[in-house]
Amino acid sequence: MPGSALYSCMLNDQGGVIDDLIAYYLADDQFRLVVNAGTRDKDLAWIGAHAAGVDVRLLERRDLAILAVQGPLARERTATLMSSEAAWTAMALPPFYGAQIADWFISRTGYTGEDGFEIMLPAGEAGKLWQRLNGGGVRSCGLGARDTLRLEAGMNLYGNDMDEHTHPLESGLAWSVAFAPTQREFIGRAALQAIRARGSEHKRVGLVLDERAVLRSHQRVIVAGVGEGEVTSGTYSPTLARSIGLARVPAATGNTVQVDVRGRLLPAVTVRPPFVRHGRPMIPLPA
């Protein structure tokens, strides 16, 4: 049976983001978590500490690898490598659902803003599947291409756009926090409720630069009469033919800011991400 997937943040007591992850509900007593590889050790330590004394078994699956196949034809081309029964099951998955299909766990999720699959399979089979995908017309891509796609899609990168010292309400992730029902407890709730009650001092915005320059992390964002913020992620968008970025800025920031790019204060407009979805611009662009 397909299991539903939930994107969420794992929080500390102060509401800071230890990691962002996907949790799969497989049964009332079985869940699968997919965390960031770079935060694996601290994630396991945090989960293990809170699981102590509770009837929970934590199993790290070092025997598995994950391949992401993303793009307009990703699902169809992946399905050609499966049996007809497995292909039917995989193609029937709704967005943000996953299912165990033979030795593969296939999920209709991704980190690119495009449709596709993420495939969890025995690690020893990953290389062979990669080659079969290449043979079926699926191109390999690296972290640079993935980072461009996720930024066009307005998706946060852990360690850049949020971390243990920032909270979801200032990182564009308030939608991932379930405050209702009010009696539901979770780690970090008291801290986030206090922040929500008084109002967050910062917010996340998207930036579009019309000048011939590139936005990069840690550049200063100057908001006239309000204060300063910082670019948390930036790159050149091939789809928009402009530089785009995500920034954490004062909550009172309006529609225009200036960004310090190598000592030059360049004008930028603030927008609500995503910038691009399924290959199409999602924001108005100057003529």
Side-chain angles (χ1 to χ4, degrees), residues 209-226:
L209 194 68
D210 205 33
E211 300 275 346
R212 292 181 63 84
V214 179
L215 294 175
R216 296 298 186 194
S217 301
H218 306 303
Q219 292 170 338
R220 287 192 307 139
V221 179
I222 295 90
V223 187
V226 176

Side-chain angles (χ1 to χ4, degrees), residues 80-101:
T80 63
L81 306 181
M82 307 177 195
S83 68
S84 57
E85 182 179 356
W88 186 91
T89 302
M91 293 299 289
L93 286 172
F96 256 69
Y97 273 77
Q100 188 72 42
I101 304 175

Side-chain angles (χ1 to χ4, degrees), residues 230-244:
E230 183 180 63
V231 176
T232 56
S233 287
T235 194
Y236 178 79
S237 166
T239 306
L240 302 180
R242 284 171 172 79
S243 186
I244 61 173

Side-chain angles (χ1 to χ4, degrees), residues 112-113 149-155 204 206 208 240 244 246 271-278 280-284:
T112 61
L149 288 168
R150 72 91 189 169
L151 187 48
E152 286 191 336
M155 296 178 176
R204 187 196 76 161
V208 178
L240 302 180
I244 61 173
L246 300 176
V271 298
R272 183 177 179 179
F275 304 92
V276 177
R277 183 69 72 181
H278 299 303
R280 295 185 178 182
M282 297 294 290
I283 59 171

Side-chain angles (χ1 to χ4, degrees), residues 49-117:
H50 286 278
V54 182
D55 186 17
V56 173
R57 181 187 177 213
L58 179 61
L59 175 62
E60 182 186 8
R61 296 298 303 271
R62 294 193 176 202
D63 57 315
L64 299 180
I66 300 180
L67 296 182
V69 191
Q70 305 283 290
L73 301 177
R75 294 168 60 237
E76 288 80 359
R77 292 192 176 179
T78 304
T80 63
L81 306 181
M82 307 177 195
S83 68
S84 57
E85 182 179 356
W88 186 91
T89 302
M91 293 299 289
L93 286 172
F96 256 69
Y97 273 77
Q100 188 72 42
I101 304 175
D103 290 338
W104 296 0
F105 184 86
I106 301 180
S107 175
R108 195 171 169 189
T109 53
Y111 188 48
T112 61
E114 296 285 342
D115 202 356
F117 289 137

